[in-house]
Amino acid sequence: MEQKNSNNSFLAEIEELRQQLEEATDTIHAIRTGQVDALVVKDSDGHQLYTLKTADQTYRVFIEKMNEGAVTVNRDGIVLYCNTRFANMADTPLEDAIGMPILSFVPGDTKEKLQNLIKSSWEKDCKQEITIKDGGDKDMHCLFSCTTIELDSGIALSLIITDLTILKATEKELKLRNEQLEEARSITEMLNESLEVTVKERTHDLTISREHFKLLTNNIVQMTWTNLPDGNVSSYNQRWYDYTGLNFATTGDFGWQELVHPDDLAETVENFKRSLQSGEMFEVENRYRRHDGVYRWHLNRANPLKNDKDEIIFWVGTATDIEDQKREMERKDEFIGIASHELKTPLTSLKGYLQLISAYNKEELPPVIKNYIAKAGGSLNKLQSLINDLLDVSKIKAGRLEYAVNDVNTNDLVGQCVENAVHMYPLYTFENQADKNYKIYGNQERLEQVLMNLVNNAVKYSHINKTVRIGTEQRDGYVRISVTDEGIGLSNDQKSKIFERFYRVEDKKNMTSGLGMGLYISHEIVQNHKGCIGVDSELGRGSTFYVELPLLVE
Ligand code: ADP
């Protein structure tokens, strides 16, 4: 019975203690959250009032809400108080953290460090970075700031613990970025240095090549200049200034036109404009006035310098003094004129005597002599046509190639030529492909001369048994008379030169007799008829030479 009574009193005591514990927990919570700042405690001396003087509500809330951990420890390093942030940092329930030794929150290897810090902090305020355990495997870098505080219950040590994890990560990132930046900076510096070296080298090369160019242009016998894409002159060499006696201010841009002989100016300007527009080589012969007022003939040439996009950057031009060559040519022309004229008189009498001999009592002449007379006649004809050509050339040069003009039928022209050709070249085939009859205005004899020259060439520059076609066709106000052969043909380069005086293709394999006058004379005659002469040809495939003349009646 007594046993039962003591059990019951124990149970009642336990129940009372449990209720007291609950009450105490509620009270602690109320204090912590700032709901109460005073409490009445009943003890053996009766009721006592405890006010929370050092932690009034504002400070308690402030400390609770702080981003840093806040801890107070006593002399033995036991946690007297800590805020929720510290409990979270240490991953320990708040109620468990209070009463634990502060050293239990740091890993073994830093315990000594913290202990030393705490020890020194009792003497004076200290700060140190220390790692604490975050409950898991991870350590947390923290800054411990320690200072002593005076509490009612005596002096305690307060520790403010700042989580440096983000700061450390940012520092690490910053360090990395700094390193990268430093690396980039040193690379840039290196690049800069090598760029500087390259620029220096290039500048040096450029200076040298500019000096070379200047030296070269100032030492060549030609006058040289450069033009901008719009034609403005941008520079001359020294020889230009020496020759003209003028400076850039007077002859730059388009000032050079003042120095061109008035008779040559129109052609020069026209050719120059054409080249500027087409981008093709500029070439013209003209006379430039020297510083003493004397005009001298020059051959002008300018070529464009283009960039990768095929755009013209500038033009480089040269003017070569051809005055002496011109004089030589004139003397040569004069000589040709006189010589051919002098040759013509004995030739005519020779021809007359030959005719007399061949007409003289033919039956009495032995066949071998007749044969010789025929051969002499043939050679005489060739000689005569050569002399006629020479005379024509000197007449053209002297501007005296004159003739009467009349209506001419193209069918008569072509018919006559085919007839001549069949008679002269029995080993070739000739096809008359004349279209209907066209009327043109000109000199029948001279036009026959042109056509026969084309036919002679067609035969001369093709192998025997080949066919030569002579035809006509109408073309937009013109009639085109063409001579087509199956001969050796011409390259593009040759095509552009064959109408020049005395030009002959240098072809050792197909070399024939001739002086390179026929096409030049033909060109002049056709030009005087306000027409044009040209050629379509392919090397090894034959040629078609054509003459286009204005139609009199369409
Ligand atoms: P040539 O007396 O030399 O024939 P031309 O003035 O008549 O003089 O011709 C000039 C050059 O043009 C010739 O030397 C020749 O090389 C070339 N030529 C002219 N006609 C033809 C042709 N039908 N086929 C190939 N080459 C030709």
Side-chain angles (χ1 to χ4, degrees), residues 171-448:
E171 250 177 28
K172 202 171 157 194
E173 180 77 0
L174 209 66
K175 199 172 160 216
L176 192 76
R177 295 275 152 178
N178 259 344
E179 280 168 8
Q180 287 173 344
L181 210 69
E182 181 58 28
E183 200 180 332
R185 200 192 58 76
S186 68
I187 290 173
T188 315
E189 207 164 87
M190 258 163 57
L191 278 177
N192 249 347
E193 272 169 22
S194 85
L195 203 70
E196 247 172 55
V197 172
T198 315
V199 168
K200 256 187 207 161
E201 280 172 7
R202 292 278 154 86
T203 314
H204 181 68
D205 290 352
L206 205 69
T207 316
I208 287 181
S209 75
R210 193 178 290 165
E211 286 307 310
H212 275 175
F213 181 68
K214 218 167 139 185
L215 205 71
L216 193 77
T217 53
N218 282 339
N219 279 289
I220 56 172
V221 289
Q222 281 102 341
M223 300 192 283
T224 68
W225 70 87
T226 53
N227 303 95
L228 298 176
D230 63 2
N232 266 307
V233 174
S234 47
S235 74
Y236 287 110
N237 68 347
Q238 189 54 41
R239 212 163 278 278
W240 170 267
Y241 299 122
D242 294 346
Y243 179 87
T244 60
L246 300 171
N247 55 23
F248 187 79
T250 358
T251 60
D253 299 338
F254 287 95
W256 55 269
Q257 294 187 8
E258 283 290 305
L259 295 164
V260 178
H261 193 285
D263 291 350
D264 309 334
L265 187 60
E267 192 192 352
T268 304
V269 171
E270 198 184 309
N271 278 14
F272 189 52
K273 274 189 188 159
R274 206 181 307 131
S275 290
L276 286 182
Q277 271 166 10
S278 66
E280 278 167 16
M281 187 175 88
F282 161 68
E283 185 175 301
V284 80
E285 286 183 10
N286 64 13
R287 282 159 286 181
Y288 283 119
R289 195 176 63 232
R290 207 168 50 185
H291 55 86
D292 55 2
V294 173
Y295 282 97
R296 284 181 74 85
W297 277 102
H298 284 83
L299 168 66
N300 296 273
R301 276 194 183 140
N303 273 303
L305 196 88
K306 296 181 180 177
N307 63 15
D308 306 347
K309 292 179 202 148
D310 212 32
E311 295 161 343
I312 295 173
I313 311 168
F314 60 87
W315 291 77
V316 181
T318 56
T320 311
D321 189 323
I322 52 166
E323 181 69 25
D324 296 344
Q325 287 96 311
K326 279 261 176 194
R327 294 275 157 270
E328 276 299 310
M329 275 298 240
E330 270 173 24
R331 269 203 293 278
K332 197 168 78 186
D333 289 338
E334 213 174 312
F335 170 77
I336 290 171
I338 295 166
S340 46
H341 197 75
E342 290 299 315
L343 281 171
K344 216 179 164 179
T345 324
L347 192 78
T348 316
S349 42
L350 209 61
K351 210 172 175 186
Y353 285 126
L354 210 59
Q355 274 166 0
L356 282 178
I357 293 171
S358 56
Y360 183 76
N361 224 347
K362 266 188 186 153
E363 294 77 38
E364 287 177 20
L365 289 173
V368 65
I369 300 292
K370 278 191 208 163
N371 188 23
Y372 289 158
I373 292 170
K375 284 202 165 143
S379 298
L380 217 58
N381 282 340
K382 274 189 188 164
L383 201 61
Q384 195 172 27
S385 91
L386 208 64
I387 289 169
N388 283 342
D389 278 356
L390 282 169
L391 267 173
D392 279 350
V393 169
S394 53
K395 276 185 197 160
I396 289 167
K397 286 314 291 171
R400 282 189 284 107
L401 190 71
E402 289 151 358
Y403 42 78
V405 283
N406 280 305
D407 288 5
V408 177
N409 289 325
T410 55
N411 275 356
D412 291 351
L413 256 184
V414 174
Q416 187 60 52
C417 282
V418 173
E419 199 183 312
N420 289 349
V422 170
H423 178 70
M424 286 164 74
Y425 307 111
L427 297 178
Y428 290 79
T429 309
F430 295 92
E431 279 182 16
N432 184 338
Q433 294 185 336
D435 199 358
K436 58 181 188 191
N437 190 31
Y438 299 102
K439 254 193 200 336
I440 49 177
Y441 198 55
N443 182 285
Q444 170 100 20
E445 246 175 73
R446 285 294 181 185
L447 291 174
E448 253 180 55

Side-chain angles (χ1 to χ4, degrees), residues 10-277:
F10 270 140
L11 282 174
E13 213 170 306
I14 288 170
E15 180 54 25
E16 193 182 338
L17 281 172
R18 200 186 54 76
Q19 276 177 13
Q20 275 180 8
L21 190 67
E22 259 176 34
E23 240 172 72
T25 309
D26 287 349
T27 311
I28 288 172
H29 182 73
I31 292 168
R32 202 173 287 289
T33 55
Q35 290 165 26
V36 296
D37 55 5
L39 75 158
V40 179
V41 178
K42 195 179 153 200
D43 61 11
S44 51
D45 301 334
H47 284 99
Q48 293 217 22
L49 177 69
Y50 289 89
T51 52
L52 302 171
K53 289 180 209 156
T54 52
D56 64 18
Q57 190 184 3
T58 314
Y59 290 120
R60 270 180 283 122
V61 171
F62 174 69
I63 284 172
E64 260 315 292
K65 298 278 175 203
M66 255 169 55
N67 216 17
E68 285 82 17
V71 181
T72 46
V73 296
N74 65 14
R75 284 267 177 200
D76 299 327
I78 302 297
V79 175
L80 298 176
Y81 164 81
C82 74
N83 65 356
T84 313
R85 172 72 181 125
F86 176 76
N88 288 343
M89 280 165 111
D91 199 27
T92 311
L94 187 60
E95 52 278 16
D96 293 354
I98 294 170
M100 279 173 72
I102 185 74
L103 292 183
S104 64
F105 296 104
V106 295
D109 50 344
T110 46
K111 278 192 200 312
E112 195 184 338
K113 208 173 172 186
L114 182 59
Q115 198 166 18
N116 290 340
L117 174 70
I118 290 172
K119 199 172 156 197
S120 331
S121 303
W122 284 106
E123 307 301 322
K124 63 169 182 42
D125 296 353
C126 292
K127 270 184 190 175
Q128 195 165 5
E129 276 182 32
I130 288 178
T131 313
I132 63 165
K133 283 180 187 162
D134 75 342
D137 294 340
K138 270 200 194 155
D139 292 339
M140 196 187 285
H141 285 280
C142 295
L143 177 69
F144 280 66
S145 309
C146 309
T147 184
T148 49
I149 49 170
E150 235 169 279
L151 298 177
D152 285 351
S153 51
I155 296 178
L157 190 68
S158 111
L159 295 92
I160 302 293
I161 301 151
T162 313
D163 181 359
L164 299 179
T165 316
I166 294 175
L167 195 75
K168 285 279 171 197
T170 314
E171 250 177 28
K172 202 171 157 194
E173 180 77 0
L174 209 66
K175 199 172 160 216
L176 192 76
R177 295 275 152 178
N178 259 344
E179 280 168 8
Q180 287 173 344
L181 210 69
E182 181 58 28
E183 200 180 332
R185 200 192 58 76
S186 68
I187 290 173
T188 315
E189 207 164 87
M190 258 163 57
L191 278 177
N192 249 347
E193 272 169 22
S194 85
L195 203 70
E196 247 172 55
V197 172
T198 315
V199 168
K200 256 187 207 161
E201 280 172 7
R202 292 278 154 86
T203 314
H204 181 68
D205 290 352
L206 205 69
T207 316
I208 287 181
S209 75
R210 193 178 290 165
E211 286 307 310
H212 275 175
F213 181 68
K214 218 167 139 185
L215 205 71
L216 193 77
T217 53
N218 282 339
N219 279 289
I220 56 172
V221 289
Q222 281 102 341
M223 300 192 283
T224 68
W225 70 87
T226 53
N227 303 95
L228 298 176
D230 63 2
N232 266 307
V233 174
S234 47
S235 74
Y236 287 110
N237 68 347
Q238 189 54 41
R239 212 163 278 278
W240 170 267
Y241 299 122
D242 294 346
Y243 179 87
T244 60
L246 300 171
N247 55 23
F248 187 79
T250 358
T251 60
D253 299 338
F254 287 95
W256 55 269
Q257 294 187 8
E258 283 290 305
L259 295 164
V260 178
H261 193 285
D263 291 350
D264 309 334
L265 187 60
E267 192 192 352
T268 304
V269 171
E270 198 184 309
N271 278 14
F272 189 52
K273 274 189 188 159
R274 206 181 307 131
S275 290
L276 286 182
Q277 271 166 10

Side-chain angles (χ1 to χ4, degrees), residues 389 453-454 457-462 485 487-490 494 498-500 502-507 512-521 537 542-543 545:
D389 278 356
N453 178 44
L454 298 184
N457 281 348
V459 169
K460 230 169 31 170
Y461 300 106
S462 45
D485 64 52
I488 57 172
L490 290 156
Q494 293 163 354
I498 50 173
F499 297 102
E500 287 171 17
F502 305 130
Y503 176 81
R504 303 204 71 219
V505 173
E506 275 198 36
D507 181 355
T512 54
S513 65
L515 288 175
M517 292 185 291
L519 288 179
Y520 168 71
I521 297 168
S537 181
S543 319
F545 280 81

